[in-house]
Amino acid sequence: MVSKMAPKTKPVDNSVNERRLRPIYDWLDNGNNKKALQEAEKVLKKQPNLQCAKVLKALAMVRLGKSEEAQAILKDVQLEEPCEDATLQAMAICYRETHRPELTCQIYEAAVKKDPLNEEFLSHLFMGYVRIGDYRKQQQTAMALFKVKPKNPYYFWAVMSILMQAYASDDSVCLTITLPLAERMIKKFVEEKKIEAEAEVQLYLMVLERQRKYDEALQVIQGPLAEKLASGIIETKKGEYLKQMKRWDQMMDYTEELLRSNPDQWSYYVHYAETLFEISSQDVTAFDRVKTFLFSLLEQERIKSENKLRGPYLAMLYFWQQLQQRNFDASAVFGNFREFAQEYVEIMGDKPCAFQDLKPFISSLPADQVTEFLDCVNQSVGLDDPSRQSPKTVKQICRHLLQLQLNRFLGQHDLLGKKEKTQLSRELWDHYLRTKFLNVGLLTTDIRPNDGYALLAAHLLLDTWNNDPDVLYKCLLLLETSLANSPANYHLKLLVTRVYTLAGHGRAAFQRYETLDIKYIQLDSLGHLLCRPLISMGLPYTASPLLSSTLRFYTTHARETSECLISAYKFGSFGKIPEFTQFCQRLDSSAHFASVTTERMLLDLLLDSSSHLKLVQTAGGMFADPDKDQPDWKTCVDNRDCGVFVSWDPPSKNLHDDIVKTTFNDEVKFARLRNRLVHALIATVALSPIWQIEVQETKNRTENLNNDQHPKDKCILPRLLQELEILLTELKSQSLMSHSQFSVQSPPPPRLYTYVENGSLEPILILMDIVSKGQCHAIGNDEIRQLDNALSRVVESAQPSVVSEGFWRNYVRLERVYNAVETLCLCVLVVSTIHAIIKNNNALSKKKKKKGETDNDDSFNRAKQFSTLVSCVASNMKKMEVLIDEFGVQVCISQMKLTESDIEKAEHAITDEISKNLSQSPVSEVKNLMVEKFKLLETCNL
Amino acid sequence: MTTLRPFTCDDMFRFNFVNLDPLTETYGLTFYLQYMAHWPEYFQLTEAPGGEIMGYIMGKAEGHGTNWHGHVTALSVAPDYRRLGLAAKLMSGLEEISEKKQAYFVDLFVRVSNTVAINMYKNLGYIIYRTVLEYYSGSPDEDAYDMRKSLSRDVDKLSVVPLTHPVRPEDIE
Ligand SMILES: CC(C)(COP(=O)(O)OP(=O)(O)OC[C@H]1O[C@@H](n2cnc3c(N)ncnc32)[C@H](O)[C@@H]1OP(=O)(O)O)[C@@H](O)C(=O)NCCC(=O)NCCS
């Protein structure tokens, strides 16, 4: 809303202006920018010097995509140093929308200079500095504000700005000057009894904590200022300070006090354990004390008849595990782990959380007690003959599922052969069907209690998959069936998405993925599940909009977060200020962001290049800057939520931290390689004569440069090619993960592996090198031979005879095909650039020659060499086309046959749906892409 | 057993077990950040021993005069952790803060089809104060119940006298 910024105080003589401007504001608010622009022009005809009208005109232009003209207007107004609120605010909006927040600071600086006592201007200036994160100037401005209007918030804005300087740099100046200054400022207010708000006390604590002055901080929360604080804060802070000061004895008393009043707060147990181990190194009697205390809490629950708390029960397992991990004889100190675990199962086994609760601890169960434990768990279910009998109540389902999950987690399923696993999964499916009657009356948004059977049955089937299409089909069948009954169950949706992915059916995977309704922050945390993988599976057209919406999230967040920072200052939530700043950095440095940005550009080049002219326009429209358009690769962070898949696999098979770390590192490496690739490609296209006409000239016009190319531009390509070579050599020398290490629940294998292994980059490098060295009209036989070899290798690697292993084999095969297709298509783009260069040179040399003279051998040779190059690319593309056609039949699991009994049990709608999904050709998009680029290649003749 | 603590920005990277649930909306960043900036004490989360996020509540205090009240904007518990009393615990925390802020009542909106939540709120002492027509957009649009529970400041329980007629979304303050 723009109208909100209309001035609150209206000088009388301005009322005419007000009335004239009103319609412009209205049009802008309604999103009708064209009308707003016309209206502004009308007003300016009457009053050419009305600053605000000029700015509103600029704003309308910004919103109509005419940024450059708008900038010119704004520059002029800025020179006039406006001093009127509405104008300034409208300018600030323009700057915000064009991502130039620093200019907002400039205009308010000028306004403040003219009117130094204007509170409004000063506070806008302060917020302007918050947006660009200039803490020192924030501090000065806040103090200036306080002098104009001695209000507490202004004073504490200044203190917070000082603290932010200390957060930003950890040097000694902070400790000796910056932080003590902040502390003094607050103390002054404390002494003068001017502290008003909770926020101010919190800020005091933050300043003390940063200096590690925990003793003083403790005094604050125990002194008179504490009454301003919420009780929860005092509680947690006290524990934190005692811990920091290593006052373990006090800490012990204190955590016991807390636990007594709240025996279900897990963080207290964690502190309690830490305290125990600190104290016990000097005083072994601590063990007895803790044991007695924990047992007293447990006893309280034991005597309750209902609403028992989980905390005291799990605490026993936790402390036992902690002792064991520190090489104490846990059984001697605490008693029998198995019995504690059994007691927990007895009491909480009928809740769906039981497995998740036990998961962190149960692997501590001594190996020789596993059988006994499981026997007891099995008995707790109360089914005499589980192969024929099914649970009769929801609670019994929970117990039964817990039993099955624990059996799997404790390795019992690993002992089964394929036949037994299939048999067991069949049994689970029967349980699923037999317990359906318990779902009656549930809302569609409720998750069905028996869904767990379907998930577990699917996991068991996947264990036995080993590339047997029937198994995948059965798995899809039961997942799709249970999903139809339980449309809210996202575990089912995630798994079914994954199974389609493993089957090599990206489009079906995408359809299921969409039902998860992943948006905003989830695009960052969950995007890795399918965003880049869609490209690997040969679905560039499907991936394209997903990449765009992801990118939109990343590019808008910074502006949004800075507005929230401002709110945090306004509401005095000082603790949130460093948190928001870090959050913003975390999003900016997201590896997924880096990857999506680059892949988006590559896809644009690939998909938006039906002719050489179009290619140039697309590449030119990116305004690429190879130096600025890359993140600091070393500080990229992993924002993926890799724990989103449930799994009951034993810890030995479970997602290791290793695989999370390695895949992250490798995704970053891949993003970096691709980033350099896309910039090299753009730099190649930039050498086309068409670029001179289409891109450079407009650029020159707007930037008022003369017609010479930047000297910088010419050396960009060789430099980028060199960077690529270095990266590639480095990657080739590293050992990469094997695809067989990836499980059903693991993050998708990085594309890096096949990309490097197949030599996907080499042919493009050879071609770009020709352009880079200015040898387009002297293409040697050697280069052509090299290119042919490199391309053949890429095509070879996509052959079905190249075996892939493990769960991801179909996926990896599709990826190899896509690698080859993409390489061929990118080669066509470079070839079209070479073609444009040769053609232009020919035309130039023709002009120079006198009429009547014939072309010499040179140019004939040139044409011949080029056409050999073209046929080399063309013949490899043909080979690839044949391969793709064969591929369609080879990898598809659409020939999977259903057995009669399967069909009987399943609903027809579901089998139809699956068959439909599986009949979609997984290679139609890559075929399409090849046809497109082949057309472009055909235009490259001399 | 749970750890109850304030919601922080980083939690948004991991709240998927809660937010993938179709009744739980994932909002744009600004929405969460503005709540954290404005009402940090009203945005609380519970965490399991394994570190998973089990559920969270998001709320605010607003209104003038006797309309000064606490409001529940979002409440959700991951399916595996339901029926453990977590929602009840989060709600009582919010009511406690609202008491401290001397609010007259706590209110919330809920889909009329969400009988699970409606029953839960009833069990926690909330009444259906009024129906808001077509409050939730979608196909088709859905009505909401505006549910309320009075706090100690509202001695005469004036805030919880149900309205007899439904209202339209534009009529609610
Ligand atoms: C509604 C929701 C928050 C309840 O969370 P919860 O932690 O399971 O609730 P609690 O365990 O605290 O339940 C408190 C009481 O509510 C009632 N209740 C909760 N869920 C119930 C259900 N599925 N069936 C019947 N009663 C139920 C019970 O009386 C329960 O007490 P009891 O278990 O001692 O009988 C949860 O189901 C959820 O997240 N749903 C999806 C999101 C949503 O709908 N949010 C509300 C939007 S306004």
Side-chain angles (χ1 to χ4, degrees):
Chain A
M1 289 277 277
V2 188
S3 56
K4 273 194 190 150
M5 63 189 195
K8 276 175 251 151
T9 46
K10 303 163 198 162
V12 190
D13 57 322
N14 258 357
S15 63
V16 181
N17 291 347
E18 266 282 310
R19 214 178 48 236
R20 284 190 179 149
L21 294 174
R22 181 54 38 206
I24 316 181
Y25 281 113
D26 289 343
W27 288 125
L28 284 168
D29 278 350
N30 296 332
N32 197 333
N33 301 312
K34 237 192 195 139
K35 277 271 174 18
L37 180 62
Q38 286 167 3
E39 191 65 40
E41 276 166 347
K42 227 167 72 193
V43 174
L44 284 169
K45 255 198 203 119
K46 285 184 209 141
Q47 249 179 297
N49 290 326
L50 191 56
Q51 277 175 341
C52 195
K54 288 191 215 171
V55 177
L56 292 176
K57 178 180 166 186
L59 182 55
M61 288 174 125
V62 166
R63 292 184 177 170
L64 287 166
K66 300 180 185 172
S67 260
E68 277 152 18
E69 290 162 69
Q71 294 303 347
I73 299 176
L74 291 171
K75 241 182 220 164
D76 287 343
V77 179
Q78 193 186 349
L79 288 176
E80 296 170 18
E81 303 197 334
C83 217
E84 188 247 340
D85 208 23
T87 308
L88 288 165
Q89 293 201 37
M91 288 179 89
I93 293 184
C94 290
Y95 294 142
R96 194 155 69 205
E97 290 185 12
T98 51
H99 304 279
R100 301 293 303 272
E102 71 284 359
L103 294 177
T104 305
C105 300
Q106 288 179 15
I107 53 169
Y108 279 108
E109 276 163 12
V112 163
K113 220 176 244 154
K114 282 190 185 169
D115 188 357
L117 298 180
N118 188 318
E119 186 183 357
E120 192 99 348
F121 291 170
L122 276 167
S123 105
H124 280 295
L125 184 57
F126 177 81
M127 298 310 175
Y129 289 137
V130 170
R131 283 195 193 92
I132 59 169
D134 189 333
Y135 308 133
R136 199 175 288 272
K137 289 200 174 141
Q138 270 174 228
Q139 179 196 344
Q140 290 158 0
T141 314
M143 277 323 282
L145 263 170
F146 185 68
K147 289 209 181 92
V148 173
K149 269 268 157 65
K151 295 193 223 167
N152 268 22
Y154 295 152
Y155 189 78
F156 285 90
W157 286 0
V159 178
M160 187 63 211
S161 305
I162 298 174
L163 184 58
M164 286 308 283
Q165 293 170 43
Y167 282 132
S169 78
D170 234 346
D171 54 24
S172 56
V173 181
C174 281
L175 279 179
T176 51
I177 300 173
T178 324
L179 288 166
L181 170 64
E183 190 184 333
R184 269 202 313 280
M185 283 177 72
I186 302 179
K187 273 198 174 135
K188 182 167 174 295
F189 262 48
V190 175
E191 280 153 19
E192 293 170 11
K193 305 232 178 307
K194 283 196 202 156
I195 296 285
E196 286 168 1
E198 174 174 12
E200 297 158 10
V201 185
Q202 282 186 14
L203 184 54
Y204 192 13
L205 295 177
M206 285 165 74
V207 169
L208 292 173
E209 285 164 19
R210 188 71 191 175
Q211 301 176 86
R212 310 188 67 79
K213 294 188 176 174
Y214 297 110
D215 202 12
E216 285 170 51
L218 193 61
Q219 283 166 24
V220 172
I221 58 170
Q222 288 171 337
L225 286 177
E227 71 187 46
K228 296 243 184 295
L229 291 170
S231 61
I233 292 181
I234 299 177
E235 229 164 56
T236 36
K237 290 279 180 201
K238 184 172 172 189
E240 190 189 318
Y241 297 154
L242 289 175
K243 196 174 121 183
Q244 289 289 352
M245 292 187 289
K246 303 189 189 299
R247 296 196 189 157
W248 301 115
D249 288 332
Q250 281 180 39
M251 183 74 178
M252 191 104 190
D253 295 338
Y254 185 59
T255 25
E256 285 180 1
E257 183 190 320
L258 291 175
L259 276 170
R260 232 173 268 126
S261 63
N262 189 357
D264 217 25
Q265 174 85 359
W266 190 249
S267 56
Y268 297 161
Y269 288 105
V270 177
H271 291 314
Y272 195 44
E274 198 186 338
T275 310
L276 165 65
F277 292 112
E278 289 292 342
I279 289 185
S280 65
S281 58
Q282 271 118 49
D283 174 12
V284 281
T285 62
F287 286 117
D288 286 334
R289 170 175 173 178
V290 166
K291 184 181 166 184
T292 315
F293 180 75
L294 290 176
F295 269 90
S296 74
L297 293 183
L298 187 61
E299 217 38 57
Q300 272 177 27
E301 299 307 314
R302 280 178 173 158
I303 55 175
K304 278 190 197 166
S305 59
E306 54 174 18
N307 291 334
K308 294 177 191 256
L309 299 173
R310 291 137 83 209
Y313 292 97
L314 280 180
M316 301 319 275
L317 301 175
Y318 175 67
F319 275 80
W320 201 97
Q321 186 181 55
Q322 291 295 314
L323 282 164
Q324 185 205 34
Q325 283 171 0
R326 289 176 170 79
N327 298 320
F328 289 99
D329 184 351
S331 306
V333 182
F334 252 74
N336 190 324
F337 182 89
R338 179 177 53 77
E339 284 169 8
F340 290 130
Q342 283 168 196
E343 189 176 3
Y344 183 81
V345 170
E346 192 49 47
I347 287 164
M348 287 292 161
D350 59 3
K351 302 271 200 248
C353 68
F355 179 79
Q356 289 297 333
D357 274 353
L358 286 172
K359 193 173 171 180
F361 310 114
I362 204 68
S363 46
S364 294
L365 184 69
D368 60 353
Q369 300 199 17
V370 168
T371 324
E372 205 176 333
F373 172 67
L374 287 176
D375 279 349
C376 169
V377 175
N378 295 351
Q379 272 168 21
S380 75
V381 182
L383 289 179
D384 298 331
D385 180 7
S387 61
R388 265 182 282 151
Q389 231 184 350
S390 291
K392 295 276 179 294
T393 63
V394 171
K395 290 196 165 183
Q396 202 179 12
I397 292 183
C398 282
R399 288 200 179 277
H400 192 204
L401 284 171
L402 175 66
Q403 178 235 331
L404 294 161
Q405 291 160 351
L406 283 171
N407 270 282
R408 186 171 173 86
F409 191 72
L410 291 169
Q412 301 304 298
H413 289 184
D414 293 343
L415 308 174
L416 306 177
K418 175 169 177 166
K419 232 175 106 191
E420 290 156 308
K421 281 189 173 175
T422 317
Q423 172 61 29
L424 181 56
S425 98
R426 176 110 245 168
E427 248 175 53
L428 296 185
W429 186 241
D430 287 339
H431 285 303
Y432 176 84
L433 296 172
R434 284 201 296 255
T435 48
K436 259 172 95 170
F437 74 97
L438 288 167
N439 298 342
V440 174
L442 291 181
L443 304 174
T444 46
T445 46
D446 285 331
I447 286 180
R448 271 56 189 158
N450 62 345
D451 285 346
Y453 289 120
L455 280 167
L456 210 54
H459 281 232
L460 275 160
L461 280 177
L462 286 168
D463 284 351
T464 72
W465 175 35
N466 199 19
N467 214 24
D468 175 356
D470 276 358
V471 170
L472 271 198
Y473 197 100
K474 276 192 189 130
C475 193
L476 285 173
L477 195 60
L478 54 90
L479 287 173
E480 290 280 20
T481 307
S482 40
L483 191 53
N485 294 328
S486 188
N489 192 329
Y490 55 82
H491 295 302
L492 290 168
K493 289 183 197 169
L494 284 164
L495 191 59
V496 89
T497 304
R498 186 48 64 85
V499 174
Y500 279 121
T501 306
L502 299 179
H505 282 272
R507 203 147 334 141
F510 182 60
Q511 281 165 10
R512 287 289 166 260
Y513 178 80
E514 282 193 308
T515 63
L516 287 164
D517 198 17
I518 283 173
K519 49 194 179 193
Y520 304 116
I521 187 87
Q522 294 172 319
L523 294 168
D524 189 38
S525 63
L526 296 178
H528 70 278
L529 293 175
L530 209 64
C531 199
R532 188 195 53 70
L534 277 179
I535 304 177
S536 283
M537 285 190 279
L539 296 170
Y541 297 93
T542 309
S544 183
L546 186 55
L547 289 173
S548 302
S549 54
T550 306
L551 214 49
R552 216 171 307 126
F553 164 73
Y554 285 118
T555 47
T556 50
H557 84 84
R559 213 171 69 199
E560 291 180 359
T561 347
S562 69
E563 293 315 303
C564 300
L565 264 181
I566 289 175
S567 302
Y569 276 100
K570 281 192 183 144
F571 299 117
S573 302
F574 294 121
K576 290 290 168 190
I577 290 168
E579 188 183 316
F580 287 180
T581 314
Q582 273 163 21
F583 176 66
C584 198
Q585 270 161 12
R586 185 167 171 190
L587 284 174
D588 276 336
S589 332
S590 167
H592 191 58
F593 181 22
S595 152
V596 169
T597 312
T598 306
E599 295 302 327
R600 169 78 270 170
M601 289 166 89
L602 275 163
L603 277 193
D604 280 341
L605 291 180
L606 267 180
L607 307 183
D608 228 358
S609 52
S610 50
S611 64
H612 183 66
L613 175 63
K614 194 89 199 54
L615 168 65
V616 169
Q617 287 167 341
T618 306
M622 291 178 186
F623 305 103
D625 182 328
D627 297 318
K628 281 194 207 140
D629 295 351
Q630 61 172 338
D632 179 358
W633 301 103
K634 282 193 259 9
T635 58
C636 273
V637 292
D638 190 359
N639 291 342
R640 294 173 302 169
D641 180 3
C642 290
V644 75
F645 273 106
V646 282
S647 158
W648 305 279
D649 287 350
S652 58
K653 276 202 200 161
N654 228 320
L655 185 62
H656 284 300
D657 291 346
D658 282 1
I659 202 169
V660 173
K661 215 153 125 201
T662 314
T663 52
F664 164 69
N665 288 333
D666 292 342
E667 291 289 0
V668 173
K669 282 178 196 159
F670 186 66
R672 182 169 185 186
L673 190 69
R674 302 276 280 179
N675 176 290
R676 297 294 83 185
L677 171 65
V678 78
H679 283 289
L681 282 166
I682 295 168
T684 305
V685 178
L687 296 173
S688 159
I690 312 290
W691 180 285
Q692 280 298 318
I693 302 163
E694 283 294 316
V695 184
Q696 197 59 40
E697 281 184 0
T698 33
K699 206 168 155 192
N700 293 347
R701 230 185 302 126
T702 54
E703 292 178 12
N704 296 326
L705 298 170
N706 53 18
N707 212 9
D708 281 342
Q709 232 185 9
H710 267 288
K712 191 175 136 207
D713 284 1
K714 281 214 173 105
C715 50
I716 287 180
L717 182 56
R719 178 164 61 91
L720 287 168
L721 290 181
Q722 206 186 356
E723 280 182 49
L724 272 168
E725 289 285 357
I726 295 173
L727 285 176
L728 203 56
T729 321
E730 233 174 72
L731 288 170
K732 279 184 188 158
S733 68
Q734 285 166 13
S735 62
L736 301 172
M737 257 179 97
S738 143
H739 284 115
S740 56
Q741 285 170 270
F742 287 81
S743 68
V744 175
Q745 286 95 358
S746 63
R751 189 172 159 201
L752 182 74
Y753 308 156
T754 57
Y755 200 72
V756 171
E757 189 190 313
N758 302 351
S760 309
L761 212 47
E762 273 84 349
I764 318 171
L765 286 177
I766 294 171
L767 285 169
M768 290 196 294
D769 207 40
I770 294 175
V771 180
S772 161
K773 292 198 175 121
Q775 288 177 342
C776 296
H777 30 275
I779 303 169
N781 289 330
D782 275 355
E783 277 125 12
I784 297 180
R785 208 173 314 116
Q786 274 175 16
L787 178 70
D788 194 34
N789 286 340
L791 280 176
S792 305
R793 197 181 139 208
V794 169
V795 175
E796 270 313 301
S797 65
Q799 293 285 355
S801 51
V802 178
V803 282
S804 313
E805 303 246 298
F807 286 110
W808 293 79
R809 67 184 89 207
N810 291 328
Y811 174 89
V812 172
R813 291 214 35 216
L814 283 170
E815 188 171 84
R816 292 188 202 278
V817 169
Y818 184 70
N819 285 346
V821 170
E822 191 202 68
T823 296
L824 286 162
C825 293
L826 291 177
C827 283
V828 173
L829 302 187
V830 184
V831 169
S832 84
T833 307
I834 298 179
H835 174 251
I837 293 172
I838 301 181
K839 221 168 111 184
N840 186 52
N841 277 348
N842 283 355
L844 285 178
S845 54
K846 234 184 221 160
K847 252 191 235 162
K848 277 188 204 146
K849 269 172 219 132
K850 284 178 200 133
K851 271 184 214 160
E853 235 176 293
T854 49
D855 272 349
N856 55 15
D857 285 355
D858 240 25
S859 106
F860 175 73
N861 245 338
R862 223 179 279 166
K864 201 181 122 228
Q865 287 298 83
F866 178 71
S867 77
T868 321
L869 182 87
V870 171
S871 5
C872 164
V873 177
S875 72
N876 280 294
M877 283 179 94
K878 291 245 170 63
K879 268 195 269 171
M880 196 61 212
E881 269 180 354
V882 175
L883 196 151
I884 290 174
D885 283 333
E886 282 174 15
F887 190 90
V889 206
Q890 291 235 355
V891 92
C892 272
I893 51 162
S894 54
Q895 343 91 313
M896 290 191 313
K897 294 260 166 17
L898 281 176
T899 62
E900 284 304 314
S901 69
D902 285 330
I903 296 178
E904 246 172 31
K905 291 224 167 92
E907 288 175 31
H908 277 292
I910 288 166
T911 50
D912 287 353
E913 165 92 16
I914 299 175
S915 308
K916 200 187 87 213
N917 284 338
L918 296 183
S919 64
Q920 296 173 336
S921 162
V923 287
S924 60
E925 288 196 12
V926 287
K927 263 176 93 163
N928 207 343
L929 187 61
M930 289 272 280
V931 171
E932 278 276 308
K933 293 304 119 173
F934 209 90
K935 279 191 205 143
L936 175 60
L937 189 66
E938 281 174 338
T939 65
C940 298
N941 50 35
L942 289 167
Chain B
M1 147 266 6
T2 102
T3 294
L4 193 65
R5 61 164 176 80
F7 191 98
T8 69
C9 289
D10 280 349
D11 294 318
M12 286 192 269
F13 293 103
R14 303 188 301 119
F15 64 12
N16 293 312
F17 277 155
V18 182
N19 274 48
L20 286 173
D21 182 274
L23 279 176
T24 307
E25 181 69 20
T26 298
Y27 298 100
L29 291 184
T30 328
F31 196 72
Y32 298 108
L33 264 56
Q34 289 295 4
Y35 271 81
M36 279 187 253
H38 201 153
W39 304 279
E41 69 284 11
Y42 266 116
F43 202 166
Q44 297 284 328
L45 157 142
T46 74
E47 204 172 47
E52 295 109 63
I53 295 173
M54 300 191 285
Y56 60 81
I57 193 166
M58 190 177 173
K60 60 182 170 183
E62 60 182 8
H64 296 288
T66 52
N67 193 34
W68 171 243
H69 67 284
H71 176 75
V72 183
T73 305
L75 167 66
S76 187
V77 173
D80 277 352
Y81 296 100
R82 290 191 186 155
R83 297 311 293 270
L84 294 170
L86 291 179
K89 189 168 175 170
L90 289 166
M91 284 299 288
S92 85
L94 185 134
E95 287 161 17
E96 210 175 288
I97 301 168
S98 305
E99 281 285 0
K100 265 197 202 129
K101 290 188 188 286
Q102 306 209 333
Y104 287 85
F105 59 93
V106 170
D107 75 352
L108 56 96
F109 297 108
V110 56
R111 288 176 187 273
V112 294
S113 65
N114 191 353
T115 48
V116 171
I118 294 167
N119 284 332
M120 175 193 70
Y121 292 129
K122 282 185 180 162
N123 286 345
L124 298 177
Y126 287 72
I127 58 116
I128 297 174
Y129 173 67
R130 58 186 168 181
T131 305
V132 188
L133 299 169
E134 294 170 355
Y135 179 78
Y136 296 100
S137 47
S139 51
D141 290 348
E142 193 179 338
D143 297 348
Y145 287 138
D146 177 355
M147 298 184 77
R148 282 187 179 186
K149 177 176 178 174
S150 62
L151 298 178
S152 57
R153 184 160 181 200
D154 181 14
V155 184
D156 300 325
K157 309 231 172 292
L158 296 175
S159 62
V160 288
V161 181
L163 297 193
T164 43
H165 295 294
V167 296
R168 302 216 45 92
E170 53 273 20
D171 301 329
I172 49 180
E173 318 131 60

